[in-house]
Amino acid sequence: MNPSLRVNEVARHFDINANTVRHYVRIGLLNPPKDDSGYHRFNATQQQRLGFILNARELGFTLEDIQQLLLDAEQGESPCPHAREMIELRLQQAKEKLASLAALVERMEQATSAWKNIPDCEPCGEHICHLIEGHHHGA
């Protein structure tokens, strides 16, 4: 790890947007000290913490989850039990979202197929887009 980096440097090092780093500082996930010029300086500890945050985000943990895991660690408790509980919950949520997206794809495919041979029409007092209005929820 580099000895001490500014926001833009640490963002480049981790290949993320500098505003993401600033957001993590703003919400308290990162707490880098400031130098004499008022710039945040990310030492090895803060860089390691940012790496942890990014890994956790990649695994689907929310920022609130990460805050809890960091709090556990700061209090000398193992964050692992919470991490196991949280990832099971996030996995279930991801599966539900995936199922919902699969259902959406199916509805879109059905609409695309059904609309191929229906002519366009001009908007009038009765319709905005007859294709969409002709689609019945749950159909």
Side-chain angles (χ1 to χ4, degrees), residues 61-80:
F61 289 96
T62 67
L63 295 177
E64 292 79 16
D65 294 342
I66 295 166
Q67 184 66 53
Q68 181 60 55
L69 296 172
L70 290 170
L71 184 62
D72 289 348
E74 289 166 3
Q75 294 175 347
E77 300 173 20
S78 172
C80 296

Side-chain angles (χ1 to χ4, degrees), residues 104-120:
L104 173 60
V105 167
E106 187 175 328
R107 288 191 307 273
M108 294 170 86
E109 287 173 340
Q110 289 172 353
T112 300
S113 177
W115 294 357
K116 279 185 180 172
N117 297 318
I118 300 175
D120 295 343

Side-chain angles (χ1 to χ4, degrees), residues 29-114:
L29 289 178
L30 295 171
N31 191 19
K34 291 185 178 182
D35 64 16
D36 294 339
S37 302
Y39 290 103
H40 285 112
R41 301 298 291 201
F42 294 81
N43 59 26
T45 301
Q46 289 296 307
Q47 291 175 50
Q48 177 188 19
R49 190 173 172 115
L50 177 56
F52 171 82
I53 293 166
L54 296 174
N55 286 341
R57 292 293 289 152
E58 191 172 294
L59 285 168
F61 289 96
T62 67
L63 295 177
E64 292 79 16
D65 294 342
I66 295 166
Q67 184 66 53
Q68 181 60 55
L69 296 172
L70 290 170
L71 184 62
D72 289 348
E74 289 166 3
Q75 294 175 347
E77 300 173 20
S78 172
C80 296
H82 270 136
R84 284 186 181 95
E85 291 172 15
M86 290 172 182
I87 201 162
E88 287 180 18
L89 175 62
R90 299 300 168 230
L91 175 59
Q92 184 57 42
Q93 291 171 335
K95 286 179 177 180
E96 290 169 5
K97 188 173 186 174
L98 186 58
S100 176
L101 285 172
L104 173 60
V105 167
E106 187 175 328
R107 288 191 307 273
M108 294 170 86
E109 287 173 340
Q110 289 172 353
T112 300
S113 177

